[in-house]
Amino acid sequence: DAGVTQSPTHLIKTRGQQVTLRCSPKSGHDTVSWYQQALGQGPQFIFQYYEEEERQRGNFPDRFSGHQFPNYSSELNVNALLLGDSALYLCASSSRTGNTGELFFGEGSRLTVL
Amino acid sequence: RKEVEQDPGPFNVPEGATVAFNCTYSNSASQSFFWYRQDCRKEPKLLMSVYSSGNEDGRFTAQLNRASQYISLLIRDSKLSDSATYLCVVNNPNSGYALNFGKGTSLLVTP
């Protein structure tokens, strides 16, 4: 049973560039959430996708956008990168029928912005 | 004030010790509470949910005090493999589907 997979695992970008991160949810899951975890901090909610639509958004600027595909996989896009966007980006999948608090996280994509 | 606040840590304890972590939350309407564990440079994983009556899972005991808006996690007979960061997580009606994570408390169990 494949868990949540994310790609790439590491990447380095420069300020002003754009990045796309990808996520495949755990088998049987239909909901994907994205979290940003800065060094020494807890994960912060970016947004959640369900039925190919953004169901809820956290306190992040419009530079952060996403998409969910019919196979439930998802992308996170960040435009006009800032140094402060350097963080671990975590994708979490869940099932609408499961425990609200039980998220299954991928290993994350570690983004460094220079 | 942050939604979820935790002991800053780090906690360094010898094997076999009992250690307790505390967490407070700001929204009295919060309904769901969890402890997640995160190993170094790895993803968070659900350790246990926290129920109003308190609950136990092996060496781990979680308690909830709604009046004080306080959650605790007790680890008995610490193992080297318990070394990790423990994240307190809260969900409230205002946050909808989002989980609110604390900064985490780092635990190092030494031989």
Side-chain angles (χ1 to χ4, degrees):
Chain A
D1 178 23
V4 180
T5 58
Q6 292 187 243
S7 64
T9 54
H10 296 81
L11 66 167
I12 300 173
K13 294 284 187 178
T14 56
R15 279 177 297 176
Q17 285 190 311
Q18 178 264 342
V19 67
T20 297
L21 308 178
R22 296 177 177 82
C23 171
S24 292
K26 182 178 167 63
S27 177
H29 285 182
D30 56 9
T31 303
V32 173
S33 303
W34 286 91
Y35 285 79
Q36 180 196 65
Q37 187 174 24
L39 198 61
Q41 304 293 317
Q44 298 292 311
F45 176 76
I46 303 175
F47 40 52
Q48 184 181 89
Y49 277 84
Y50 173 68
E51 292 189 340
E52 301 180 50
E53 292 196 359
E54 184 184 285
R55 178 156 71 172
Q56 184 177 337
R57 186 178 186 88
N59 189 25
F60 279 80
D62 292 345
R63 298 185 297 108
F64 290 75
S65 63
H67 190 78
Q68 185 178 35
F69 300 94
N71 66 353
Y72 307 122
S73 67
S74 177
E75 287 182 350
L76 164 65
N77 300 292
V78 187
N79 294 323
L81 285 167
L82 304 173
L83 295 179
D85 294 333
S86 295
L88 179 67
Y89 288 85
L90 293 161
C91 171
S93 76
S94 56
S95 168
R96 59 188 163 87
T97 60
N99 181 344
T100 303
E102 185 164 21
L103 298 180
F104 291 82
F105 285 91
E107 292 194 1
S109 294
R110 194 168 296 277
L111 171 64
T112 302
V113 182
L114 302 177
Chain B
R1 183 182 173 188
K2 287 190 179 293
E3 291 260 6
V4 181
E5 299 205 57
Q6 297 186 238
D7 283 351
F11 285 66
N12 293 337
V13 303
E15 259 186 303
T18 295
V19 61
F21 304 138
N22 304 316
C23 166
T24 57
Y25 59 95
S26 61
N27 190 326
S28 60
S30 296
Q31 297 172 326
S32 305
F33 311 90
F34 312 91
W35 285 100
Y36 272 71
R37 170 194 169 127
Q38 187 171 24
D39 292 317
C40 187
R41 303 187 74 80
K42 292 289 205 177
E43 74 275 21
K45 292 182 180 177
L46 178 65
L47 178 65
M48 59 196 302
S49 301
V50 185
Y51 302 119
S52 296
S53 54
N55 48 299
E56 189 174 304
D57 183 1
R59 298 181 293 106
F60 298 83
T61 301
Q63 296 279 352
L64 169 65
N65 183 323
R66 287 189 183 272
S68 302
Q69 296 178 206
Y70 171 99
I71 306 161
S72 66
L73 176 67
L74 182 78
I75 305 176
R76 291 183 300 278
D77 188 22
S78 298
K79 312 292 185 190
L80 297 177
S81 57
D82 293 334
S83 297
T85 296
Y86 291 83
L87 299 160
C88 177
V89 183
V90 173
N91 177 259
N92 63 61
N94 292 341
S95 52
Y97 297 103
L99 295 183
N100 299 299
F101 285 78
K103 282 187 178 183
T105 300
S106 176
L107 171 66
L108 178 63
V109 181
T110 55

